[in-house]
Amino acid sequence: MKRRQFIKKASLTGVGIAVGSSLSSCVENPSKENKNEMIMTANISKTPIAICTWAFVAANAKAGEQLSKGKKALNSAIAGVAIEEENIKNTTVGKGGAPDREGNVTLDACVMDSNGDCGSVICVENITNVAALAKRVMTETPHVMLTGFGAEEFAYRQGFKKDKLLTEDSKKAWEEWLKSPEYKPLINIENHDTIGMLCMDSNGNIAGACTTSGLSYKMKGRVGDSPIIGSGLFIDNEIGGAVATGMGEEVLKTVGSFLIVELMRNGMSPQKACEEAVKRITSKNERYKEFQIAYIAMNTSGDVGSYCIHKGFTYMKYQNGENKNIHSDYFVEA
Ligand code: ASP
């Protein structure tokens, strides 16, 4: 039985419904004739919202602009993150991203749609728009994930162009690092800016995308949280969505984005759910002092929240033509 039918049936038969966050967008029609009829406001004409990790002003504005034109949530998110994938000044997303310790730029991305479908690509070389590629995995194959050379070959078959991802600047920085190559897989405030984006379209549907070149000078083959559904990104259109940035290994260990959506399902606000997910990490041991993790989340009512370990994380929010950079709450000052 569809949710709408269930709600209507329940109200007509007098069956009580526990009003949880997934039903918070139902209102009772106050008119006498329709006293018992529940009206669904979800999925009808919502104000579009786009949020993304970090101060990616142009990327979030692009997504907001697409949503305002009536584009769907997933396509808007992919169009938004593409701005950073193509931005060669951004050293941890797409073209211009820092390479692994052997000098190869390898990209990770995933997307998740409002109907629960998802796609992911891992360790892809020579392709810039990997979030769009992840969508093709979702729509054009019977699979969810493609890795490495297989993902790259699939991209060419889908008409994606071969691109040189290692720019002169990122090559120079890598050569500098090679002079005293210390392998410390730590993510500090300067050294991470994966873009994770959540969009709600005018139909009230939520979808998201997450794309990164991962840890700078990572071990060949290293994969973080960003392309892993449930860790870097998770959407449940009945509840909301969440996305992560920061030390991927720690997000993976706690399946952070899925955890946030489940906490929201159990009644937490996006803000409280992000806080709880960060606390799952910080409560384990003291190692959190050395790395950053940040989450952003949105529920079906359009409420958003964010929490990070260390002060300094900001995120973007687009709504009603306004694109704001917001300082996240944090667990520790330094
Ligand atoms: N989460 C990404 C990773 O671990 C890194 C980042 O957000 O900067 O690959």
Side-chain angles (χ1 to χ4, degrees), residues 4-29:
R4 185 190 292 266
Q5 287 168 325
F6 167 71
I7 291 164
K8 198 161 180 190
K9 193 164 183 195
S11 67
L12 290 173
T13 54
V15 177
I17 304 172
V19 180
S21 56
S22 67
L23 294 179
S24 61
S25 51
C26 298
V27 290
E28 260 189 341
N29 186 330

Side-chain angles (χ1 to χ4, degrees), residues 53-54 92-93 108 187-188 191-196 210-216 218 222-227 232 244-252 292-294:
T53 54
W54 303 106
T92 60
V93 180
D108 300 328
I187 292 187
N188 58 27
N191 192 23
H192 60 103
D193 42 12
T194 291
I195 181 163
C210 186
T211 176
T212 191
S213 56
L215 208 54
S216 302
K218 59 195 177 187
R222 179 265 182 190
V223 181
D225 61 312
S226 304
T245 179
M247 187 55 132
E249 281 70 6
E250 303 301 320
V251 177
L252 283 166
Q292 173 70 304
I293 284 176

Side-chain angles (χ1 to χ4, degrees), residues 14-326:
V15 177
I17 304 172
V19 180
S21 56
S22 67
L23 294 179
S24 61
S25 51
C26 298
V27 290
E28 260 189 341
N29 186 330
S31 78
K32 277 197 187 140
E33 301 80 56
N34 301 309
K35 194 160 68 196
N36 292 321
E37 194 174 326
M38 301 289 281
I39 294 176
M40 288 293 298
T41 56
N43 305 325
I44 328 173
S45 187
K46 287 263 189 175
T47 307
I49 302 171
I51 58 173
C52 78
T53 54
W54 303 106
F56 293 128
V57 180
N60 209 56
K62 176 76 181 178
E65 175 200 304
Q66 296 290 300
L67 291 166
S68 304
K69 287 183 184 161
K71 303 273 187 219
K72 288 188 174 167
L74 183 61
N75 289 343
S76 302
I78 291 172
V81 300
I83 300 277
E84 284 309 316
E85 290 174 332
E86 290 159 19
N87 174 8
I88 58 168
K89 296 280 173 224
N90 181 334
T91 58
T92 60
V93 180
K95 185 169 177 160
D100 63 16
R101 49 161 90 171
E102 286 161 47
N104 305 304
V105 181
T106 62
L107 304 181
D108 300 328
C110 73
V111 297
M112 192 155 186
D113 207 354
S114 47
N115 60 5
D117 283 341
C118 46
S120 156
V121 290
I122 296 178
C123 266
V124 186
E125 294 183 45
N126 305 313
I127 304 292
T128 299
N129 294 121
V130 278
L133 182 59
K135 185 188 169 194
R136 296 292 181 95
V137 174
M138 178 182 98
T139 58
E140 307 304 320
T141 81
H143 308 301
V144 168
M145 297 171 118
L146 286 182
T147 65
F149 192 52
E152 190 182 336
E153 274 197 336
F154 171 67
Y156 300 138
R157 286 203 302 276
Q158 288 291 312
F160 285 71
K161 281 205 214 91
K162 186 168 185 159
D163 205 356
K164 195 170 169 236
L165 302 183
L166 188 67
T167 58
E168 277 314 307
D169 283 351
S170 47
K171 186 165 181 256
K172 261 192 222 141
W174 167 63
E175 283 166 351
E176 203 47 47
W177 176 81
L178 276 179
K179 289 181 187 162
S180 49
E182 221 190 322
Y183 188 57
K184 264 204 209 148
L186 297 180
I187 292 187
N188 58 27
I189 280 173
E190 298 78 47
N191 192 23
H192 60 103
D193 42 12
T194 291
I195 181 163
M197 185 177 280
L198 302 173
C199 288
M200 181 193 278
D201 63 28
S202 51
N203 292 318
N205 289 321
I206 299 176
C210 186
T211 176
T212 191
S213 56
L215 208 54
S216 302
Y217 319 128
K218 59 195 177 187
M219 284 179 72
K220 188 178 171 72
R222 179 265 182 190
V223 181
D225 61 312
S226 304
I228 307 299
I229 298 295
S231 288
L233 169 72
F234 195 72
I235 306 287
D236 182 330
N237 205 41
E238 299 283 300
I239 306 297
V243 70
T245 179
M247 187 55 132
E249 281 70 6
E250 303 301 320
V251 177
L252 283 166
K253 287 177 201 168
T254 47
V255 200
S257 294
F258 181 74
L259 172 63
I260 291 169
V261 173
E262 290 306 296
L263 291 168
M264 293 197 290
R265 187 191 307 278
N266 289 320
M268 278 193 194
S269 65
Q271 180 60 36
K272 285 278 166 242
C274 289
E275 289 175 17
E276 177 60 27
V278 165
K279 282 173 194 161
R280 291 281 170 101
I281 296 165
T282 54
S283 61
K284 286 201 164 59
N285 51 54
E286 298 265 290
R287 278 189 295 123
Y288 69 83
K289 292 180 178 166
E290 295 172 356
F291 56 78
Q292 173 70 304
I293 284 176
Y295 292 110
I296 60 172
M298 173 159 60
N299 67 16
T300 51
S301 304
D303 304 321
V304 306
S306 167
Y307 201 64
C308 60
I309 299 180
H310 300 280
K311 185 178 177 180
F313 171 68
T314 67
Y315 65 102
M316 297 300 303
K317 181 181 177 195
Y318 174 96
Q319 191 172 18
N320 292 323
E322 209 187 358
N323 197 30
K324 282 194 288 195
N325 185 228
I326 301 168

